């Protein structure tokens, strides 16, 4: 963890926590279910959208914390295929967050060599949302640092069904033989292709569920839950989760 001494002067809590990590065992891909934004706001007598706004600011903070320790991919679950059922005003507000995020954060993300990607059904997003996300993807596509992957309008069962449908079409067209379908081939039909599977899933706000998120990809991932709401979750909590990840022996069902 030597570089952190240089970056933070070896003085801050954050630097100390980062230095407590084993730099040879940093998870390549960390996925986060950023839950509890509305709850965080309601606890403070604020409207739910104030929680989403606060949650958006936290995305940048945790992205930088992940980048600092050498995480390669950070997937942030920002909007699920089920979230359209929320009140119309809340959905409209959420769909404007990418427009607000980028003008504010893009320069720092570019300066830190972050590459933006998106996983989900982009065609169902409002045009202005899609344009903001696409601009960010285009502006960062030549960066080769941390991949900040937003799961937007994403749901895992739908993803797997779409993959199976395409797989069957390709088989019927004679492009693949059923007996050649392997785990890695199936993975290549999913929206997350070519990203590696998450090594660690973090979920905030106390719910102990996967909620239709990366069901195939999380097969061997370590799961880490906290009661903290997403806007309260900071770099130190993030490094705590990574430390716990490093303590657990990962055996993939073997010995
Ligand atoms: C959203 C803030 C984070 C907490 C979870 C829900 C609300 C950042 C983005 C975003 C997405 C794509 C992109 C740039 C920024 C975002 C939505 C909700 C829909 F290219 N935060 N955030 N998008 N929340």
């Amino acid at each position: 963890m030597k570089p952190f001494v240089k970056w933070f002067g070896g003085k801050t809590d954050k630097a100390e926590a980062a230095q407590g990590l084993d730099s040879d065992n940093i998870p390549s891909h960390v996925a986060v279910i950023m839950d509890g934004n509305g709850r965080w706001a309601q606890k403070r007598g604020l409207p739910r959208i104030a929680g989403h706004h606060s949650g958006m600011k936290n995305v940048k903070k945790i992205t930088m914390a992940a980048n600092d320790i050498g995480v390669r991919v950070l997937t942030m679950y920002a909007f699920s295929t089920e979230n359209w059922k929320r009140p119309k005003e809340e959905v409209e507000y959420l769909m404007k967050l990418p427009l607000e995020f980028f003008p504010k954060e893009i320069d720092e993300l570019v300066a830190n060599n972050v590459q933006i990607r998106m996983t989900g059904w982009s065609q169902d997003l409002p045009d202005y949302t899609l344009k903001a996300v696409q601009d960010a993807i285009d502006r960062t596509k030549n960066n080769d640092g941390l991949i900040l992957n937003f799961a937007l309008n994403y749901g895992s069962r739908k993803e797997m069904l779409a993959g199976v449908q395409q797989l069957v079409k390709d088989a019927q067209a004679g492009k693949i033989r059923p007996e050649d379908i392997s785990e890695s081939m199936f993975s290549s039909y999913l929206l997350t292709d070519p990203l590696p599977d998450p090594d660690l899933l973090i979920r905030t706000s106390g719910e102990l569920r996967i909620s239709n998120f990366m069901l195939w990809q999380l097969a061997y991932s370590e799961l880490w839950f906290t009661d903290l709401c997403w806007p309260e979750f900071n770099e130190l909590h993030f490094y705590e989760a990574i430390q716990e990840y490093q303590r657990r022996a990962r055996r993939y069902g073997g010995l």
Side-chain angles (χ1 to χ4, degrees):
M1 287 293 92
K2 279 143 221 120
F4 300 102
V5 179
K6 192 173 73 201
W7 291 348
F8 303 125
K11 289 195 177 70
T12 65
D13 290 353
K14 192 168 90 171
E16 247 167 60
Q19 285 176 55
L21 298 175
D22 172 3
S23 56
D24 294 330
N25 191 19
I26 299 294
S28 298
H29 184 176
V30 179
V32 188
I33 301 179
M34 305 180 284
D35 200 7
N37 300 287
R39 195 172 313 170
W40 176 88
Q42 278 165 340
K43 274 197 296 197
R44 284 161 182 75
L46 300 168
R48 288 176 56 82
I49 58 171
H52 295 313
H53 195 261
S54 181
M56 179 192 71
K57 287 198 276 183
N58 207 31
V59 168
K60 216 274 294 293
K61 194 196 265 183
I62 300 302
T63 301
M64 291 308 160
N67 194 35
D68 287 348
I69 59 166
V71 170
R72 303 296 306 141
V73 185
L74 181 67
T75 294
M76 305 296 237
Y77 201 5
F79 195 87
S80 78
T81 47
E82 285 81 37
N83 287 155
W84 297 108
K85 295 182 208 143
R86 292 191 179 173
K88 188 164 153 275
E89 301 74 42
E90 188 173 335
V91 170
E92 273 172 15
Y93 185 82
L94 288 166
M95 286 299 133
K96 288 185 186 135
L97 285 179
L99 281 77
E100 195 183 334
F101 183 86
F102 282 115
K104 276 196 201 131
E105 317 296 0
I106 193 81
D107 291 337
E108 195 175 343
L109 293 173
V110 170
N112 282 281
N113 201 20
V114 171
Q115 185 187 140
I116 310 256
R117 293 203 198 188
M118 173 189 159
T119 296
W121 282 274
S122 50
Q123 65 272 21
D124 300 333
L125 298 172
D127 288 343
Y128 53 84
T129 309
L130 185 55
K131 185 181 178 304
V133 176
Q134 200 54 56
D135 283 354
I137 291 172
D138 293 343
R139 268 198 66 187
T140 60
K141 67 170 188 285
N142 294 323
N143 293 351
D144 57 6
L146 174 88
I147 294 172
L148 173 56
N149 178 39
F150 285 103
L152 265 185
N153 194 25
Y154 172 83
S156 187
R157 286 189 170 189
K158 188 171 160 160
E159 172 193 40
M160 287 197 279
L161 288 183
V164 167
Q165 286 174 359
Q166 190 57 47
L167 206 57
V168 171
K169 275 186 200 156
D170 288 350
Q172 284 173 337
K175 287 189 218 160
I176 55 174
R177 296 185 307 173
E179 56 271 32
D180 292 338
I181 299 172
S182 61
E183 291 188 10
S184 72
M185 186 190 287
F186 185 71
S187 294
S188 76
Y189 279 82
L190 299 177
L191 297 173
T192 44
D193 180 66
L195 299 176
D197 292 338
D199 302 291
L200 171 64
L201 172 75
I202 295 173
R203 179 170 190 157
T204 57
S205 197
E207 305 296 351
L208 306 179
R209 294 191 285 272
I210 300 298
S211 301
N212 199 22
F213 182 63
M214 295 200 181
L215 301 177
W216 170 269
Q217 297 89 335
L218 290 170
Y220 298 107
S221 310
E222 293 293 337
L223 310 179
W224 192 85
F225 299 95
T226 173
D227 286 335
L228 292 167
C229 291
W230 173 248
E232 303 165 328
F233 182 84
N234 66 25
E235 298 96 333
L236 293 179
H237 305 122
F238 183 74
Y239 292 147
E240 203 180 297
I242 306 242
Q243 212 159 41
E244 170 67 21
Y245 164 87
Q246 295 186 334
R247 275 198 293 269
R248 297 184 196 171
R250 304 182 72 223
R251 289 184 283 264
Y252 295 97
L255 288 181

